[in-house]
Amino acid sequence: MRGLVVLVTLACVASAQHQALIDYLERRLLAIETARYASELRALKQQMVSQLETLDKEKETLRMNLDGVGTRVDRVERELDYLETQNGAQPCVDVDDKLIEQQVTLVKEKQKAKYSKLSDCSDMISSIKAMKILKRVGGPKGMWTKDPGRGSGKVYIFNGTDEDTIHEFASVQDFSRSVGITLSKALKLPSAWSGTGHVVFNNYAYYITLAEEIMMVKFDMKNSSVTDSAVFPLQDHVPVYGLTPETVMDLAVDEEGLWAIYATRQNERYISLAKMDATSLDIEQMWDTNCPRENAEASFVICGTLYVVYNTKQPGRSRVQCVFDANGMVTNEDAPLIYFPKRYGAHSSLKYNPQEQLLYAWDDGYQILYKLTMKKKLEI
């Protein structure tokens, strides 16, 4: 009997130990599961925090963009107006024709008035003092220039006669040492330019597009947007230069502001000149000059005087052969003969910088600088 009791007691002890072991194992498994879940929860929390930070940044960016929507609406409307002029319906074209006729009449009335100078500049070219070939970039025809606005040293390359991307360099030095255009910033225009008659002035690019009418576009270089555009009031235009047929209008900047050089079929043997308002693109006054289009390759304006460059019969030579002074101080007979040094082909563009008194020339893909010697008009 005592042995049976001992056996029962041992069995109970063994059963209790077994249950204790099972309880211990269950607690350990629970602890392990809890730790694993806690680790996964921490990882999930970190992931959510990271995503929330990203969302906060995107929210801030969206807020900044929304803050600028109001100021950009007007620019978008201007660009839409410009595109509509390029693809307008026929009724709109009829209205535009009437407006152009009214503008032509108004300009002809202004033409009778005396031209008011914007500056006291009375300089004119005496001779070409020096010539410097910087490099060769791009095709046979194009335009390069430096912004003549005060405080700007940037240089701009318009390669070709029908492109839509300007290349901006921080300085002439950067352009000179750049391998091709590697150091440039590309500025995409909303439409392709026509010809080589563009200018850059006070951080704006003024360029010409051609569909049925001549359209002048003012492009903000800082904001990469069209600020304004205007149809030039010419119903029947012809290329301004006989040797550069791609250029239907040439723009120029001098000490007195923005100028447009053009030609009409009504007076197709000669070149015409217009003074423009650089802010509004309005025409202030127009002149018919006595400078022929035949054999003309380029021109520029200095102190209100138009200089037209012609290809001579001498190999590798061109010269200023016609001068028109909007101020009436210089006649073509009084102006000195100005020969350009030997060049490669023909000038597709000549852009004057009034701050430096330099000409930026494009000649068969070569970018050239001409240093000018100046004299007073009254010294003639």
Side-chain angles (χ1 to χ4, degrees), residues 156-176:
Y156 299 91
I157 306 296
F158 292 71
N159 181 29
T161 60
D162 186 21
E163 300 294 337
D164 63 359
T165 302
I166 307 171
H167 295 282
E168 178 188 270
F169 290 86
S171 64
V172 174
Q173 292 75 16
D174 278 2
F175 173 63
S176 299

Side-chain angles (χ1 to χ4, degrees), residues 193-225:
W193 62 71
S194 297
T196 60
H198 339 292
V199 293
V200 176
F201 185 40
N202 288 333
N203 294 313
Y204 292 97
Y206 298 81
Y207 69 96
I208 301 300
T209 66
L210 179 64
E212 295 181 359
E213 302 110 351
I214 297 176
M215 175 74 72
M216 185 184 301
V217 182
K218 182 179 179 182
F219 182 78
D220 190 330
M221 306 288 240
K222 289 184 177 180
N223 298 321
S224 296
S225 62

Side-chain angles (χ1 to χ4, degrees), residues 117 119 121-124 254-256 259 301-305 325 327 352 374 377:
K117 294 196 302 178
S119 72
C121 177
S122 60
D123 288 337
M124 68 172 297
D254 73 344
E255 295 81 356
E256 298 181 13
W259 301 80
V301 180
I302 298 177
C303 290
T305 301
D325 186 5
N327 299 301
Y352 172 65
M374 311 298 288
K377 294 178 181 179

Side-chain angles (χ1 to χ4, degrees), residues 275-288:
K275 181 67 181 65
M276 308 294 298
D277 186 318
T279 302
S280 64
L281 302 184
D282 290 337
I283 299 173
E284 297 178 353
Q285 197 165 344
M286 302 173 83
W287 298 264
D288 292 329

Side-chain angles (χ1 to χ4, degrees), residues 6 65 73 80-81 98 132 195 207 216 228 287 304 306 313 355:
V6 171
N65 290 338
V73 166
L80 288 174
D81 290 341
K98 292 180 181 179
K132 182 178 181 180
Y207 69 96
M216 185 184 301
D228 209 344
W287 298 264
L306 173 68
K313 295 181 180 180
Q355 300 296 327

